[in-house]
Amino acid sequence: QNQICTKFKKIGVQDRFGQSGKPADLLVEYGLQTTRVERLDMLFEAALQGFQIIVAHPERYAFAFDGRDMHQVEKLTNKGYALQLNLPSLLGSNGTKVRRIAEEMLLTGRYTFVGSDTHSRHYTAALREGTLSPKVADALKQLITNNKEILWK
């Protein structure tokens, strides 16, 4: 882990900022059984180096659904890090508990991006066959619009 922090220091400015001068995105993924947000120091170091931190599918991590509150997720958003919803999670492909957390996070505006973590047929089937409530569908449409505005400026 310290090796990763050292690598951030070695990355040149041209690697951290694109031609537009916009910070490069750094997608971060935790282990699914992680019970608390770890290595905030490493994320902070990367942000100091000019990266925009995006945390992939936080609804799937144990720290997001520990049954108490969103305190661990708020540690990330309070630092200004973006959260990326995994669309199959919203459709129930990771279980009803994860779906419920994904819906709650979506409806409370915690996500910045949506992606489709489709590494297997299981996930593509969820995309084809899944259904959403009208309220969740409307919130998802807004998030997709945000994706377009942020990613294709």
Side-chain angles (χ1 to χ4, degrees):
Q1 293 169 349
N2 289 336
Q3 183 180 20
I4 294 171
C5 286
T6 303
K7 288 181 181 178
F8 288 137
K9 293 177 183 174
K10 292 180 182 176
I11 294 173
V13 172
Q14 70 278 8
D15 297 324
R16 288 180 272 143
F17 296 93
Q19 291 177 339
S20 67
K22 181 180 161 189
D25 296 329
L26 180 63
L27 187 64
V28 177
E29 188 165 342
Y30 285 96
L32 297 180
Q33 298 306 313
T34 303
T35 57
R36 62 183 186 82
V37 175
E38 298 173 345
R39 300 307 310 202
L40 282 174
D41 58 332
M42 195 168 61
L43 298 180
F44 182 72
E45 178 69 27
L48 284 178
Q49 295 297 318
F51 290 95
Q52 167 61 44
I53 307 299
I54 304 170
V55 179
H57 47 68
E59 71 280 352
R60 291 172 51 189
Y61 304 137
F63 66 69
F65 55 84
D66 64 5
R68 292 188 298 273
D69 56 32
M70 289 283 146
H71 177 71
Q72 294 292 318
V73 172
E74 288 171 356
K75 283 184 180 180
L76 299 167
T77 56
N78 288 344
K79 297 277 187 196
Y81 305 148
L83 303 179
Q84 180 188 41
L85 166 66
N86 176 29
L87 185 55
S89 292
L90 192 60
L91 298 169
S93 66
N94 295 297
T96 56
K97 193 174 196 179
V98 172
R99 180 180 182 151
R100 189 182 78 247
I101 293 298
E103 287 176 350
E104 177 186 339
M105 290 177 66
L106 177 65
L107 293 172
T108 57
R110 296 184 190 272
Y111 292 112
T112 306
F113 299 103
V114 60
S116 58
D117 199 5
T118 54
H119 300 293
S120 72
R121 291 179 190 201
H122 167 73
Y123 292 120
T124 54
L127 293 174
R128 276 193 314 273
E129 299 164 12
T131 60
L132 301 171
S133 72
K135 186 176 180 180
V136 171
D138 287 344
L140 180 60
K141 286 177 192 174
Q142 183 58 52
L143 186 59
I144 291 169
T145 299
N146 291 348
N147 269 20
K148 291 178 190 175
E149 291 174 4
I150 292 170
L151 296 174
W152 290 284
K153 284 185 177 182

